[in-house]
Amino acid sequence: QVQLVESGGGLVQAGGSLRLSCAASGRIVSVNDMGWYRQAPGKQRELVAAITGGGGTNYADSVKGRFVISRDNAKNTVYLQMNSLKPEDTALYYCNAEVVGSRYMNVWGQGTQVTVSS
């Protein structure tokens, strides 16, 4: 079965940086669109950044100019470089991918915690 494995979360001071990684593994034919979502306490899950198979990107207004999403198609991996982190960035960050294996699947990672201290 297809899985997304996230890494890179942790505790960082305001103004610092983190890089999240998410690798898709399993019986994969192709990985199409990929994205990062986050969910803070008391908030609904929101899209942070997305990237198409061709490399086109889209960002939430709150992270534009600070975060960069990228991908390595050979590794079926998506990254989120987070710079100038703010306390309001604190959340569980989830990877999402549209994957084709034996069938089309929309797959979620387990989530990785990012905590930004003031």
Side-chain angles (χ1 to χ4, degrees):
Q1 191 59 258
V2 176
Q3 295 182 183
L4 300 180
V5 180
E6 298 149 318
S7 62
L11 175 64
V12 66
Q13 293 185 65
S17 298
L18 286 172
R19 190 179 78 151
L20 306 183
S21 299
C22 172
S25 62
R27 296 179 180 272
I28 297 170
V29 175
S30 66
V31 180
N32 301 125
D33 294 354
M34 305 184 81
W36 289 95
Y37 292 73
R38 67 186 180 189
Q39 188 165 23
K43 302 285 188 177
Q44 293 199 74
R45 190 172 299 187
E46 65 174 344
L47 177 67
V48 178
I51 186 166
T52 68
T57 59
N58 200 270
Y59 297 91
D61 288 341
S62 60
V63 307
K64 283 183 178 178
R66 299 189 297 121
F67 292 9
V68 178
I69 189 170
S70 61
R71 65 190 292 162
D72 185 336
N73 291 335
K75 297 179 179 179
N76 291 326
T77 299
V78 64
Y79 306 94
L80 185 67
Q81 178 66 47
M82 303 185 292
N83 301 314
S84 301
L85 283 161
K86 305 174 180 179
E88 50 262 47
D89 294 318
T90 295
L92 271 169
Y93 283 71
Y94 296 90
C95 180
N96 177 261
E98 298 175 0
V99 182
V100 178
S102 59
R103 51 182 282 271
Y104 172 84
M105 293 166 283
N106 186 61
V107 186
W108 289 90
Q110 81 287 347
T112 185
Q113 179 68 39
V114 172
T115 302
V116 184
S117 62
S118 60

